[in-house]
Short mmCIF file of all heavy atoms in Angstrom, two decimals:
data_model
loop_
_atom_site.label_atom_id
_atom_site.label_comp_id
_atom_site.label_asym_id
_atom_site.label_seq_id
_atom_site.Cartn_x
_atom_site.Cartn_y
_atom_site.Cartn_z
N MET V 1 -1.45 3.90 3.68
CA MET V 1 -1.86 3.86 2.28
C MET V 1 -1.63 5.24 1.67
O MET V 1 -1.99 6.25 2.28
CB MET V 1 -3.33 3.46 2.15
CG MET V 1 -3.64 2.08 2.69
SD MET V 1 -5.43 1.74 2.75
CE MET V 1 -5.82 1.69 1.01
N VAL V 2 -1.03 5.27 0.47
CA VAL V 2 -0.77 6.54 -0.21
C VAL V 2 -1.05 6.38 -1.70
O VAL V 2 -0.87 5.30 -2.26
CB VAL V 2 0.70 7.01 -0.02
CG1 VAL V 2 1.01 7.27 1.44
CG2 VAL V 2 1.67 6.02 -0.62
N PRO V 3 -1.51 7.46 -2.36
CA PRO V 3 -1.67 7.39 -3.83
C PRO V 3 -0.31 7.44 -4.50
O PRO V 3 0.65 8.04 -3.98
CB PRO V 3 -2.48 8.66 -4.14
CG PRO V 3 -2.14 9.60 -3.04
CD PRO V 3 -1.91 8.78 -1.82
N PHE V 4 -0.21 6.79 -5.67
CA PHE V 4 1.06 6.75 -6.37
C PHE V 4 0.82 6.77 -7.88
O PHE V 4 0.08 5.93 -8.41
CB PHE V 4 1.84 5.48 -6.00
CG PHE V 4 3.25 5.47 -6.54
CD1 PHE V 4 4.27 6.13 -5.88
CD2 PHE V 4 3.55 4.79 -7.73
CE1 PHE V 4 5.56 6.13 -6.38
CE2 PHE V 4 4.84 4.79 -8.24
CZ PHE V 4 5.85 5.46 -7.56
N TYR V 5 1.41 7.76 -8.54
CA TYR V 5 1.28 7.87 -9.99
C TYR V 5 2.41 7.07 -10.66
O TYR V 5 3.58 7.36 -10.47
CB TYR V 5 1.35 9.33 -10.43
CG TYR V 5 1.20 9.49 -11.93
CD1 TYR V 5 -0.05 9.51 -12.52
CD2 TYR V 5 2.33 9.60 -12.75
CE1 TYR V 5 -0.19 9.64 -13.89
CE2 TYR V 5 2.19 9.73 -14.12
CZ TYR V 5 0.94 9.75 -14.68
OH TYR V 5 0.80 9.87 -16.04
N TRP V 6 2.03 6.05 -11.43
CA TRP V 6 2.99 5.17 -12.10
C TRP V 6 3.15 5.63 -13.54
O TRP V 6 2.22 5.57 -14.35
CB TRP V 6 2.49 3.73 -12.01
CG TRP V 6 3.07 2.69 -12.93
CD1 TRP V 6 2.37 1.77 -13.64
CD2 TRP V 6 4.44 2.43 -13.20
NE1 TRP V 6 3.21 0.95 -14.34
CE2 TRP V 6 4.51 1.33 -14.09
CE3 TRP V 6 5.64 3.02 -12.79
CZ2 TRP V 6 5.70 0.81 -14.58
CZ3 TRP V 6 6.84 2.50 -13.28
CH2 TRP V 6 6.87 1.41 -14.15
N CYS V 7 4.35 6.11 -13.86
CA CYS V 7 4.60 6.65 -15.19
C CYS V 7 4.56 5.57 -16.26
O CYS V 7 4.45 5.87 -17.45
CB CYS V 7 5.96 7.35 -15.22
SG CYS V 7 6.03 8.84 -14.21
N GLY V 8 4.67 4.31 -15.86
CA GLY V 8 4.68 3.23 -16.82
C GLY V 8 3.42 3.14 -17.64
O GLY V 8 3.47 2.86 -18.84
N ASP V 9 2.27 3.36 -17.02
CA ASP V 9 1.02 3.31 -17.78
C ASP V 9 0.17 4.57 -17.60
O ASP V 9 -0.95 4.64 -18.09
CB ASP V 9 0.20 2.08 -17.39
CG ASP V 9 -0.15 2.03 -15.90
OD1 ASP V 9 0.08 3.04 -15.21
OD2 ASP V 9 -0.64 0.98 -15.44
N GLY V 10 0.71 5.56 -16.89
CA GLY V 10 -0.03 6.80 -16.70
C GLY V 10 -1.23 6.68 -15.80
O GLY V 10 -2.15 7.49 -15.87
N ASN V 11 -1.25 5.66 -14.92
CA ASN V 11 -2.39 5.45 -14.03
C ASN V 11 -2.01 5.71 -12.58
O ASN V 11 -0.84 5.68 -12.20
CB ASN V 11 -2.91 4.01 -14.17
CG ASN V 11 -3.65 3.80 -15.47
OD1 ASN V 11 -4.31 4.70 -15.97
ND2 ASN V 11 -3.53 2.61 -16.03
N LEU V 12 -3.06 5.95 -11.80
CA LEU V 12 -2.89 6.18 -10.37
C LEU V 12 -3.25 4.92 -9.61
O LEU V 12 -4.26 4.28 -9.89
CB LEU V 12 -3.79 7.33 -9.93
CG LEU V 12 -3.54 7.93 -8.54
CD1 LEU V 12 -2.21 8.67 -8.50
CD2 LEU V 12 -4.67 8.91 -8.19
N TYR V 13 -2.40 4.55 -8.66
CA TYR V 13 -2.62 3.39 -7.81
C TYR V 13 -2.52 3.83 -6.35
O TYR V 13 -2.21 4.98 -6.04
CB TYR V 13 -1.58 2.31 -8.09
CG TYR V 13 -1.62 1.76 -9.50
CD1 TYR V 13 -0.88 2.35 -10.52
CD2 TYR V 13 -2.39 0.64 -9.81
CE1 TYR V 13 -0.91 1.86 -11.82
CE2 TYR V 13 -2.43 0.13 -11.11
CZ TYR V 13 -1.69 0.75 -12.11
OH TYR V 13 -1.72 0.25 -13.38
N THR V 14 -2.75 2.87 -5.46
CA THR V 14 -2.50 3.09 -4.04
C THR V 14 -1.47 2.07 -3.58
O THR V 14 -1.53 0.89 -3.96
CB THR V 14 -3.79 2.94 -3.22
OG1 THR V 14 -4.66 4.04 -3.52
CG2 THR V 14 -3.50 2.95 -1.72
N LEU V 15 -0.50 2.54 -2.80
CA LEU V 15 0.48 1.65 -2.18
C LEU V 15 0.09 1.45 -0.73
O LEU V 15 -0.29 2.40 -0.03
CB LEU V 15 1.89 2.25 -2.25
CG LEU V 15 2.42 2.63 -3.64
CD1 LEU V 15 3.84 3.19 -3.51
CD2 LEU V 15 2.39 1.43 -4.57
N MET V 16 0.18 0.21 -0.26
CA MET V 16 -0.14 -0.10 1.13
C MET V 16 0.96 -0.97 1.72
O MET V 16 1.41 -1.92 1.10
CB MET V 16 -1.48 -0.84 1.20
CG MET V 16 -1.98 -1.11 2.63
SD MET V 16 -1.41 -2.71 3.30
CE MET V 16 -2.41 -3.84 2.35
N TRP V 17 1.44 -0.60 2.93
CA TRP V 17 2.47 -1.40 3.60
C TRP V 17 2.27 -1.33 5.11
O TRP V 17 1.67 -0.39 5.62
CB TRP V 17 3.87 -0.90 3.20
CG TRP V 17 4.26 0.45 3.71
CD1 TRP V 17 4.93 0.73 4.86
CD2 TRP V 17 3.98 1.72 3.10
NE1 TRP V 17 5.09 2.08 5.00
CE2 TRP V 17 4.54 2.71 3.93
CE3 TRP V 17 3.33 2.11 1.92
CZ2 TRP V 17 4.45 4.07 3.62
CZ3 TRP V 17 3.24 3.46 1.62
CH2 TRP V 17 3.79 4.42 2.47
N PRO V 18 2.78 -2.32 5.86
CA PRO V 18 2.62 -2.33 7.32
C PRO V 18 3.57 -1.34 7.99
O PRO V 18 4.73 -1.18 7.57
CB PRO V 18 2.96 -3.77 7.71
CG PRO V 18 3.88 -4.23 6.62
CD PRO V 18 3.42 -3.55 5.37
N LEU V 19 3.10 -0.71 9.02
CA LEU V 19 3.93 0.21 9.80
C LEU V 19 4.63 -0.51 10.95
O LEU V 19 5.63 -0.02 11.48
CB LEU V 19 3.06 1.34 10.36
CG LEU V 19 2.43 2.28 9.33
CD1 LEU V 19 1.46 3.24 10.01
CD2 LEU V 19 3.50 3.06 8.58
N ARG V 20 4.09 -1.63 11.35
CA ARG V 20 4.68 -2.45 12.41
C ARG V 20 4.32 -3.90 12.12
O ARG V 20 3.59 -4.20 11.17
CB ARG V 20 4.15 -2.03 13.79
CG ARG V 20 2.64 -2.13 13.92
CD ARG V 20 2.20 -1.92 15.36
NE ARG V 20 0.75 -1.93 15.50
CZ ARG V 20 -0.01 -3.03 15.54
NH1 ARG V 20 0.57 -4.25 15.43
NH2 ARG V 20 -1.32 -2.95 15.70
N PHE V 21 4.84 -4.81 12.92
CA PHE V 21 4.52 -6.22 12.71
C PHE V 21 3.02 -6.44 13.00
O PHE V 21 2.49 -5.99 14.01
CB PHE V 21 5.35 -7.11 13.64
CG PHE V 21 5.05 -8.56 13.45
CD1 PHE V 21 5.57 -9.27 12.38
CD2 PHE V 21 4.21 -9.23 14.35
CE1 PHE V 21 5.27 -10.62 12.21
CE2 PHE V 21 3.92 -10.57 14.18
CZ PHE V 21 4.45 -11.26 13.09
N ILE V 22 2.34 -7.12 12.08
CA ILE V 22 0.91 -7.42 12.23
C ILE V 22 0.78 -8.94 12.28
O ILE V 22 1.12 -9.64 11.32
CB ILE V 22 0.09 -6.85 11.05
CG1 ILE V 22 0.41 -5.37 10.84
CG2 ILE V 22 -1.40 -7.04 11.31
CD1 ILE V 22 -0.25 -4.76 9.61
N SER V 23 0.31 -9.42 13.39
CA SER V 23 0.26 -10.87 13.61
C SER V 23 -0.91 -11.52 12.88
O SER V 23 -1.85 -10.84 12.44
CB SER V 23 0.17 -11.16 15.10
OG SER V 23 -1.00 -10.58 15.65
N HIS V 24 -0.86 -12.83 12.79
CA HIS V 24 -1.92 -13.61 12.14
C HIS V 24 -3.27 -13.35 12.84
O HIS V 24 -3.38 -13.38 14.06
CB HIS V 24 -1.58 -15.10 12.21
CG HIS V 24 -2.68 -15.98 11.71
ND1 HIS V 24 -3.52 -16.68 12.55
CD2 HIS V 24 -3.10 -16.25 10.45
CE1 HIS V 24 -4.39 -17.35 11.85
NE2 HIS V 24 -4.16 -17.13 10.56
N GLY V 25 -4.30 -13.06 12.03
CA GLY V 25 -5.63 -12.81 12.57
C GLY V 25 -5.88 -11.38 12.97
O GLY V 25 -7.02 -11.00 13.27
N GLU V 26 -4.83 -10.56 13.01
CA GLU V 26 -5.00 -9.16 13.40
C GLU V 26 -5.59 -8.36 12.24
O GLU V 26 -5.24 -8.54 11.08
CB GLU V 26 -3.66 -8.56 13.82
CG GLU V 26 -3.79 -7.16 14.41
CD GLU V 26 -2.45 -6.60 14.90
OE1 GLU V 26 -1.45 -7.36 14.89
OE2 GLU V 26 -2.41 -5.42 15.27
N GLN V 27 -6.50 -7.44 12.57
CA GLN V 27 -7.16 -6.62 11.56
C GLN V 27 -6.22 -5.54 11.04
O GLN V 27 -5.46 -4.93 11.79
CB GLN V 27 -8.41 -5.97 12.16
CG GLN V 27 -9.27 -5.21 11.17
CD GLN V 27 -10.45 -4.55 11.83
OE1 GLN V 27 -10.37 -3.40 12.28
NE2 GLN V 27 -11.56 -5.28 11.91
N LEU V 28 -6.27 -5.30 9.73
CA LEU V 28 -5.51 -4.20 9.13
C LEU V 28 -6.27 -2.90 9.34
O LEU V 28 -7.48 -2.82 9.15
CB LEU V 28 -5.31 -4.44 7.63
CG LEU V 28 -4.06 -5.21 7.19
CD1 LEU V 28 -4.07 -6.61 7.77
CD2 LEU V 28 -3.95 -5.24 5.68
#
């Protein structure tokens, strides 16, 4: 997870993505 400043609306968001395959039922 990383913070991301979006110039489109001048707001700060967080981006989240998987680092490896995460199977069904597995905790993030």
Side-chain angles (χ1 to χ4, degrees):
M1 298 172 67
V2 297
F4 188 82
Y5 181 83
W6 163 226
C7 293
D9 59 10
N11 287 327
L12 193 68
Y13 297 89
T14 291
L15 304 181
M16 185 270 288
W17 68 93
L19 295 173
R20 59 171 176 80
F21 180 78
I22 308 175
S23 60
H24 173 257
E26 187 177 353
Q27 186 182 90
L28 270 62

